[in-house]
Amino acid sequence: MFELRRLRLLHELALRGTISDVAAALAYSPSTVSQQLAQLEREAGVPLLEPDGRRVRLTMQGRLLAAHAARALELDEAARAELSTSVRAEERVRIAVMPTAAEALVPPALTLLADRMPQLRVEMVQMAPEEGLFELQARAFDLVVAEQYGGHTRELRDGIDRTLLGSDPVRLAVPPSSTATALTDLRDSAWVMEPEGTAVRRWSVQQCRGAGFEPDVRFEATDLIAHTRLVAAGHAVAVLPDLVWTGDRASVRLVELPGSPVREIFAATRSSSRDNAAVAAVRDAMADALSAHRPR
């Protein structure tokens, strides 16, 4: 019989590519990972790894067993979910959330959960959606809160389910002294945006191009609070979602974008744990927190 713990190491190697990355993700030493994979290879009776320069890669048999390992892990999780019709004492749900969700949704969701399921332990890491969705597939988290913008659907991954939590309006943020009333009025303005390569950066640039100009992006920041500070100080304009306004937004003036676009906020879970009572409770609390969000 194959041991599930060793199968997970092989699954992780298939996803992450190197033994050192597997070790870092699972808090093992590289030598421990290598020893356990060598034991799995002896149990399988066929070569699972082969040299690739200074690293190793999966053989054809290794890739085959890694695919079976993924299914075995899904079955294990699905069985646990079916047996768990209620939240057990000390049950833990690990979540990865994008920054605006960490600021605007997690605190009220935890308040709801403290009343609904006080025995539930929720652990959160703030993480970009791209990274969080990968780590969900790698089983580092049980639930990920992410977003996608119109016309820019995030990659669909096997074994991952998505539940729409709600929509978040996206608007232009300009300094209070600005006379701009439309996107076309901002062609000569300095912009602050998220770094190149992010989905929201691509989407924001396309909005400007649709209005007939290339934005002058002078400032880049992943922290949207930095965006609001630059706008409030009169140094830039920005495209910002309403979730960024967890408090008073009187320091800037908001202008509607053409078509009044929204971004979709969704919760992603592994298909095998979708019906787990604890995971479902966290997902529902996030949806309720988003529904109740009303920035001043």
Side-chain angles (χ1 to χ4, degrees), residues 86-147:
S86 61
V87 180
R88 300 184 299 273
E90 300 299 323
E91 185 150 8
R92 177 183 67 160
V93 175
R94 301 158 299 173
I95 66 174
V97 300
M98 59 189 182
T100 49
E103 296 161 5
L105 299 185
V106 171
L110 291 176
T111 300
L112 292 172
L113 288 166
D115 180 58
R116 296 172 181 177
M117 295 186 170
Q119 71 272 39
L120 180 62
R121 174 186 175 95
V122 178
E123 298 177 358
M124 183 207 82
V125 174
Q126 180 178 301
M127 190 173 288
E130 294 85 355
E131 186 179 359
L133 291 168
F134 172 83
E135 292 295 344
L136 175 67
Q137 193 172 28
R139 317 185 90 77
F141 299 101
D142 302 304
L143 181 144
V144 172
V145 177
E147 39 82 278

Side-chain angles (χ1 to χ4, degrees), residues 235-264:
H235 300 303
V237 298
V239 172
L240 292 172
D242 273 11
L243 272 187
V244 76
W245 310 111
T246 55
D248 189 0
R249 59 182 178 185
S251 58
V252 305
R253 188 166 63 82
L254 298 181
V255 178
E256 292 294 328
L257 281 162
S260 300
V262 299
R263 64 173 182 168
E264 292 183 341

Side-chain angles (χ1 to χ4, degrees), residues 172-191 230-238 250-256:
L172 285 169
V174 300
S177 60
S178 172
T179 59
T181 59
L183 180 57
T184 52
D185 297 331
L186 300 175
R187 64 175 60 247
D188 297 322
S189 298
W191 286 77
L230 285 166
V231 174
H235 300 303
V237 298
S251 58
V252 305
R253 188 166 63 82
L254 298 181
V255 178
E256 292 294 328

Side-chain angles (χ1 to χ4, degrees), residues 16-260:
R16 300 183 185 278
T18 69
I19 286 176
S20 59
D21 286 343
V22 172
L26 300 182
Y28 291 147
S29 68
S31 61
T32 297
V33 174
S34 295
Q35 290 167 9
Q36 292 299 309
L37 288 173
Q39 178 61 36
L40 180 63
E41 194 170 53
R42 286 191 291 271
E43 294 170 353
V46 294
L48 302 177
L49 308 175
E50 60 187 3
D52 183 20
R54 299 179 65 181
R55 300 179 177 179
V56 296
R57 64 185 176 194
L58 297 180
T59 62
M60 181 180 67
Q61 295 94 334
R63 293 192 297 271
L64 178 64
L65 185 56
H68 284 292
R71 289 192 289 272
L73 291 166
E74 289 173 2
L75 287 171
D76 175 74
E77 191 166 47
R80 294 175 185 275
E82 286 190 25
L83 292 171
S84 176
T85 56
S86 61
V87 180
R88 300 184 299 273
E90 300 299 323
E91 185 150 8
R92 177 183 67 160
V93 175
R94 301 158 299 173
I95 66 174
V97 300
M98 59 189 182
T100 49
E103 296 161 5
L105 299 185
V106 171
L110 291 176
T111 300
L112 292 172
L113 288 166
D115 180 58
R116 296 172 181 177
M117 295 186 170
Q119 71 272 39
L120 180 62
R121 174 186 175 95
V122 178
E123 298 177 358
M124 183 207 82
V125 174
Q126 180 178 301
M127 190 173 288
E130 294 85 355
E131 186 179 359
L133 291 168
F134 172 83
E135 292 295 344
L136 175 67
Q137 193 172 28
R139 317 185 90 77
F141 299 101
D142 302 304
L143 181 144
V144 172
V145 177
E147 39 82 278
Q148 61 186 16
Y149 288 76
H152 290 77
T153 303
R154 291 194 179 276
E155 178 186 359
L156 300 175
R157 298 172 183 268
D158 290 339
I160 301 298
D161 284 351
R162 297 182 183 184
T163 301
L164 179 65
L165 300 180
S167 59
D168 186 24
V170 184
R171 314 174 202 269
L172 285 169
V174 300
S177 60
S178 172
T179 59
T181 59
L183 180 57
T184 52
D185 297 331
L186 300 175
R187 64 175 60 247
D188 297 322
S189 298
W191 286 77
V192 55
M193 292 188 181
E194 294 196 36
E196 287 192 28
T198 58
V200 61
R201 172 67 171 264
R202 292 191 294 270
W203 185 86
S204 300
V205 169
Q206 285 300 320
Q207 299 304 301
C208 295
R209 289 174 180 169
F213 67 93
E214 194 71 20
D216 176 11
V217 183
R218 299 186 197 177
F219 312 105
E220 290 187 358
T222 56
D223 182 0
L224 296 188
I225 300 302
H227 291 217
T228 67
R229 298 288 188 268
L230 285 166
V231 174
H235 300 303
V237 298
V239 172
L240 292 172
D242 273 11
L243 272 187
V244 76
W245 310 111
T246 55
D248 189 0
R249 59 182 178 185
S251 58
V252 305
R253 188 166 63 82
L254 298 181
V255 178
E256 292 294 328
L257 281 162
S260 300

